[in-house]
Amino acid sequence: MFRTALRNVLAHKARLLMTVLAVMLGVAFVSGTLVFTNTISDAYQKSSAKGFDRVDVAVQPEYQDSEGDKVGKRAELSRALLDRAAGVPGAASATGVVTGFTAVAGKDGKLVGGDWQSAGGNYWGTKDARYPLVSGHAPHGSGEVLLDSRTAERAGYKVGDTVRLSVDGPVLTPKLAGVFTTDDGNVAAGGSLALFDTSTAQTLFGKKGTFDEIDVRASAGTSQSALEAALDKALPSHLVETTTGKRLADDQAEAISASMSGLRQMLLVFAGIALFVGTFIIANTFTMLVAQRTRELALMRAVGASRRQVTRSVLIEAFAVGAVAGATGLAAGVGIGAGLRSLLGSFGASVPDGPLVISPGTVLTALAVGVLVTMLAAWLPGRRAAKIPPVAAMSSVHAKATTKSLVLRNTLGALFSAAGVAAVLMGTTMDADAAEGPMGLGAVSLIIGVFILTPLLSRPLIAAAAPVLRVFGVAGKLARQNSVRNPRRTAATASALMIGLTLITGMTVMAGSLQTSIDKMASSAIRADYVVSMANRGPLSPGVATKLAAADGVTASSPLRNGESRIDGTTEYLTGVNGPVIGRLTDLKVDDGSFTVGGTRVVVDQDTARDHGWRAGSAFTAHFEDGKARRLTVAGVYEGNDMISGIMLDNEVLTPHLTDPADMQVMVKTADGASDAAKDRLERALGTNPAVKVQDKQDISNDIAKMFTLMLNMVYGLLGMAVLVAVLGVVNTLAMSVFERAQEIGMLRAIGLDRRSVKRMVRLESLVISLFGGVLGIGLGVFFGWAAGELLSTKMPTYELVLPWGRMAVFLLLAGTVGILAALWPARRAARLNMLAAIKAE
């Protein structure tokens, strides 16, 4: 049986080619993901570990939790603590570390390093072992700065040039004192790093006289653990916590691994989808191969082969196919992993140098996935073949499905579908967090149910295409009959395409609806013409609001200033605003009271009011971070949203209690409304600063749209693999169907059907099956998109379902195109059959 199985593989190698390709693509996706993420993770871990080579123990401030009416805060690392750490026995030196956001503009005025990867820090003394100088000298005073060599090269700066940069809004123009090298992983990933002398860095980052961390080096002969123990004894435990350099490196490696884990899981999910689609091809292929060899298998049964041996022979064939697909998929995956790493560079993202990582786990996973997926998909066809009685099989090449089996299948499909629909509908009535499980299980159950019911659904849906197919005459009529001749085969072929289009359509419906809802939220909640914020959404200097208020054409402006407080024993974040004008800059619906902010009168969003049991006229005591308290009165309760929420009070009340006031954004209204001229005036008032964003409502929506577009393009690209596998499935099914129907095609040719009509018949058959899968996929995608939207509407009052009719039409057109392209080779093969040889074929 083993030799027979291997001979069958070799005998049908051409027919198994598409199956091998389908499995290979899925395995390549899996192994490529593992190689890529392992390589990136390893490179970053090694790069970050270098940064801890010069740290034996790190002293970090302890966070003092909020308690009672006391607002929690982080302890300060003073110069006195630094000196004490440096004097501990076993300490060779101690370095005070200061960090913060620093955006550097190139000579072209554009931001270097991106919105989130622009960092700043301090250079220690006249020499800093962390940052070896390539040229120039250490920075002195606020008029000098250092840049890492990569940033200096990209921005076109040389020592002595004037650098334009910003920390929290205002533009600074220090001289470039020197250029340094660094092992910082953020810089290796395309970010920028600017260094100032320590006192300047402390002033710029709002940490006068204090440090974010103290790095201590051990003297010769002192271990990291011994130095840590000595520091624990010498420093106050309620103010600081100590960590060895090795533990920091391990924690960083774990954090990098965890961040890569999310990416890895996402990519593996899409790889799993591609493999799942591939199972339909495998099952179809082995079902057709077994059907073509029914007499052969019956003869084997007649001469003594047991049912198990017949099933086992099919599984051995599947094992051989899976092993070949797994090995070739692994090789392709290694190339994909290397290609993805290179692709990052083309998008402007740098990755630390390091070797391509191909772990034993990746090799074993690739081979195991290829073999297991193929064998699992082939098991059912093998089991069916073994159950056919030898006498019945020898008298008929094709064993038809019994009425009992079809009734059982349809009943099972109806139960799965009903359970899936019920679970999804139940999820739409639940809280968003609690609904994830039921909706996920419901979606899977519904997809399985529809797949099981696809043979039943194929007849009425394909019959609906009959009027159109009549236009093509005999070829159209034959195509429709061929499409429903074997409903199970049609179902498996169409379902592969259905799954991909279900996911694509569902994501498109959700993204389009969310974008429309956010547009409505921005237009309904904000009356301001512009919203000004830092590029990294970090804090703005209060000076920005002052400059904007004095700019030409500005009629009203308000900074949104954050402050922490304790109210009724819980932590609440306050938003300070310009009370007299905030009503002109926002358009929030008030449910109770009036939107009045000034003095001790505040407005509160619905959720906060509900949590505390407040209504208009309620009074409460707020305890601020400086330890002082103030009695405040609720003037009104408004409907909050994702853009504006919380407790709003006048900045004149909040600001005196803040140690380091900072604004998250500034709202601005101009005399002429939003226009290019008004925007240009505001940007000039801020020194044309690339670190600051001046956005109108459309800009805000466009920013969000970019995020959704990027997400959708990623999903389309990742699901493209599943669609490609589905195309292979259509090609494979049609090719084997042509071989199976060779005698029939020969007879059609003999009675007058020309080659062009044969080609048209096969193409139309493929088109009908593909459109059938497309209609099912788009229908399911719209249902899932609606259900997910119902959950989102509970948290987003402006949510509105928007059906992207144009894109859905494109998806249906894509399905039809897939069908036509997939039929090119099978149709050509069918038309070129020798009619006499085909008629004699068995």
Side-chain angles (χ1 to χ4, degrees):
M1 295 299 293
F2 180 76
R3 289 197 299 271
T4 302
L6 292 183
R7 284 173 181 167
N8 280 324
V9 171
L10 295 174
H12 300 108
K13 53 183 178 291
R15 297 178 218 172
L16 290 169
L17 177 62
M18 293 298 175
T19 300
V20 172
L21 283 175
V23 180
M24 183 200 77
L25 286 173
V27 172
F29 204 157
V30 171
S31 55
T33 294
L34 295 176
V35 169
F36 171 67
T37 53
N38 288 343
T39 298
I40 299 299
S41 180
D42 181 71
Y44 274 115
Q45 285 178 19
K46 288 179 177 177
S47 176
S48 65
K50 291 179 183 177
F52 295 114
D53 287 345
R54 303 178 188 91
V55 180
D56 290 316
V57 177
V59 180
Q60 297 167 324
E62 186 73 62
Y63 184 79
Q64 298 167 342
D65 294 329
S66 299
E67 190 175 34
D69 295 332
K70 185 181 179 181
V71 176
K73 63 178 181 178
R74 191 170 295 278
E76 293 182 343
L77 300 181
S78 63
R79 183 77 197 200
L81 281 174
L82 173 68
D83 294 338
R84 195 188 301 183
V88 166
S93 64
T95 302
V97 178
V98 184
T99 57
F101 173 77
T102 303
V104 178
K107 287 191 173 182
D108 57 1
K110 295 181 180 178
L111 193 64
V112 180
D115 295 350
W116 303 94
Q117 297 173 310
S118 302
N122 67 313
Y123 189 83
W124 190 249
T126 57
K127 188 176 181 181
D128 193 331
R130 299 172 299 168
Y131 308 112
L133 285 175
V134 176
S135 61
H137 58 82
H140 299 289
S142 59
E144 293 186 340
V145 68
L146 301 181
L147 290 179
D148 69 90
S149 55
R150 295 191 185 193
T151 299
E153 182 179 351
R154 281 184 294 163
Y157 287 127
K158 295 179 181 179
V159 174
D161 288 348
T162 299
V163 179
R164 295 183 75 250
L165 53 84
S166 177
V167 171
D168 57 1
V171 175
L172 305 176
T173 54
K175 295 287 186 183
L176 183 60
V179 175
F180 62 90
T181 59
T182 177
D183 295 321
D184 192 311
N186 186 61
V187 173
S192 65
L193 180 59
L195 300 178
F196 309 90
D197 67 22
T198 299
S199 62
T200 300
Q202 290 173 327
T203 301
L204 289 175
F205 301 138
K207 300 159 187 173
K208 290 184 179 180
T210 64
F211 305 96
D212 293 304
E213 182 176 299
I214 297 172
D215 293 341
V216 186
R217 294 296 306 273
S219 57
T222 303
S223 66
Q224 289 187 354
S225 57
L227 178 58
E228 183 183 25
L231 287 166
D232 286 339
K233 288 181 181 179
L235 302 178
S237 59
H238 67 285
L239 294 180
V240 302
E241 59 178 349
T242 58
T243 310
T244 62
K246 183 180 182 304
R247 200 186 320 155
L248 284 173
D250 292 342
D251 290 346
Q252 182 74 3
E254 188 177 335
I256 291 170
S257 180
S259 65
M260 283 291 112
S261 176
L263 175 63
R264 184 184 296 119
Q265 288 176 6
M266 181 190 74
L267 292 174
L268 287 177
V269 164
F270 286 98
I273 292 169
L275 284 167
F276 181 60
V277 171
T279 60
F280 294 109
I281 301 176
I282 302 165
N284 244 6
T285 301
F286 278 93
T287 297
M288 296 172 78
L289 284 176
V290 166
Q292 292 165 13
R293 289 162 40 209
T294 306
R295 287 185 179 178
E296 174 192 328
L297 294 174
L299 183 60
M300 292 173 65
R301 289 287 311 282
V303 297
S306 66
R307 286 185 175 183
R308 282 187 178 179
Q309 286 178 310
V310 171
T311 303
R312 200 176 299 146
S313 71
V314 175
L315 291 178
I316 291 170
E317 293 178 42
F319 176 85
V321 171
V324 172
T328 54
L330 173 62
V334 172
I336 289 173
L340 286 174
R341 177 175 172 171
S342 300
L343 191 62
L344 286 179
S346 66
F347 286 124
S350 301
V351 178
D353 294 332
L356 203 63
V357 178
I358 308 170
S359 67
T362 299
V363 176
L364 292 175
T365 300
L367 295 176
V369 165
V371 170
L372 289 176
V373 167
T374 311
M375 291 183 70
L376 284 173
W379 174 76
L380 191 58
R383 185 170 174 272
R384 281 182 189 154
K387 291 176 70 175
I388 300 174
V391 175
M394 292 181 72
S395 63
S396 176
V397 175
H398 302 293
K400 296 181 180 179
T402 63
T403 304
K404 180 181 177 182
S405 71
L406 291 174
V407 170
L408 179 63
R409 176 174 183 141
N410 293 338
T411 303
L412 192 63
L415 291 174
F416 266 97
S417 298
V421 171
V424 171
L425 292 178
M426 181 180 70
T428 61
T429 64
M430 299 169 64
D431 182 74
D433 295 330
E436 290 180 3
M439 287 195 73
L441 291 173
V444 172
S445 178
L446 179 56
I447 288 176
I448 292 173
V450 171
F451 165 65
I452 296 173
L453 285 175
T454 305
L456 179 67
L457 298 172
S458 63
R459 289 187 178 276
L461 288 178
I462 292 176
V468 178
L469 293 175
R470 288 196 193 101
V471 175
F472 299 97
V474 175
K477 183 177 180 181
L478 290 172
R480 183 181 65 81
Q481 292 174 347
N482 290 334
S483 300
V484 295
R485 176 186 294 184
N486 192 324
R488 294 190 183 200
R489 185 183 304 166
T490 299
T493 307
S495 295
L497 193 58
M498 176 192 79
I499 292 170
L501 285 178
T502 295
L503 296 171
I504 289 173
T505 304
M507 291 295 295
T508 304
V509 169
M510 282 185 61
S513 300
L514 276 172
Q515 180 60 48
T516 301
S517 305
I518 289 167
D519 287 345
K520 286 176 64 179
M521 184 188 298
S523 60
S524 63
I526 301 174
R527 285 181 181 171
D529 296 316
Y530 292 99
V531 175
V532 179
S533 62
M534 289 293 289
N536 70 331
R537 301 299 176 189
L540 280 164
S541 165
V544 171
T546 304
K547 287 184 178 181
L548 288 171
D552 290 340
V554 173
T555 58
S557 67
S558 173
L560 272 63
R561 188 165 297 165
N562 284 357
E564 188 177 350
S565 71
R566 295 284 289 178
I567 300 173
D568 298 334
T570 61
T571 297
E572 293 288 352
Y573 288 92
L574 309 174
T575 301
V577 297
N578 185 350
V581 302
I582 188 63
R584 295 168 55 192
L585 300 171
T586 58
D587 189 16
L588 299 167
K589 183 180 177 183
V590 178
D591 293 331
D592 185 20
S594 62
F595 198 88
T596 305
V597 180
T600 60
R601 290 174 299 175
V602 303
V603 291
V604 184
D605 71 288
Q606 284 178 327
D607 292 339
T608 305
R610 188 183 305 114
D611 292 341
H612 290 277
W614 295 336
R615 54 177 300 174
S618 298
F620 61 91
T621 301
H623 298 267
F624 301 99
E625 64 181 57
D626 63 353
K628 296 180 181 180
R630 189 78 180 263
R631 193 73 174 165
L632 303 174
T633 303
V634 177
V637 178
Y638 67 92
E639 291 185 6
N641 53 52
D642 290 339
M643 300 183 75
I644 301 175
S645 62
I647 303 171
M648 286 190 204
L649 73 163
D650 200 298
N651 271 322
E652 290 186 0
V653 176
L654 177 64
T655 304
H657 300 288
L658 300 180
T659 306
D660 186 21
D663 303 325
M664 296 312 296
Q665 59 187 31
V666 181
M667 290 185 173
V668 179
K669 194 169 187 63
T670 60
D672 301 326
S675 65
D676 291 340
K679 184 175 182 178
D680 189 53
R681 283 197 302 269
L682 294 178
E683 289 178 343
R684 284 203 309 271
L686 297 175
T688 316
N689 189 343
V692 176
K693 287 186 176 181
V694 179
Q695 298 178 300
D696 59 21
K697 285 182 276 192
Q698 189 58 52
D699 291 331
I700 295 172
S701 296
N702 290 343
D703 259 7
I704 298 169
K706 286 179 184 177
M707 180 181 67
F708 285 127
T709 301
L710 178 63
M711 177 186 68
L712 273 181
N713 288 339
M714 285 179 60
V715 170
Y716 292 160
L718 293 170
L719 288 176
M721 183 70 74
V723 174
L724 178 59
V725 173
V727 172
L728 293 177
V730 178
V731 173
N732 196 44
T733 301
L734 289 174
M736 296 190 72
S737 179
V738 166
F739 178 84
E740 194 176 72
R741 290 165 17 211
Q743 190 177 56
E744 175 189 318
I745 292 171
M747 289 293 295
L748 290 171
R749 289 290 314 284
I751 61 176
L753 196 67
D754 60 16
R755 288 186 174 181
R756 180 177 295 178
S757 297
V758 170
K759 285 183 180 181
R760 186 179 297 138
M761 175 186 71
V762 176
R763 288 172 186 161
L764 289 173
E765 180 183 348
S766 176
L767 178 64
V768 167
I769 292 174
S770 297
L771 288 176
F772 171 53
V775 168
L776 288 180
I778 291 172
L780 283 174
V782 169
F783 176 70
F784 291 141
W786 166 82
E790 287 297 298
L791 284 184
L792 289 171
S793 65
T794 60
K795 293 188 175 183
M796 187 180 289
T798 58
Y799 184 84
E800 177 186 348
L801 179 67
V802 177
L803 295 181
W805 296 106
R807 290 205 176 191
M808 289 194 293
V810 170
F811 296 156
L812 197 60
L813 182 63
L814 174 66
T817 305
V818 163
I820 293 172
L821 293 177
L824 290 178
W825 176 59
R828 186 168 178 268
R829 183 180 177 189
R832 296 182 67 182
L833 284 175
N834 183 293
M835 68 178 74
L836 295 179
I839 291 171
K840 291 190 294 181
E842 292 189 7

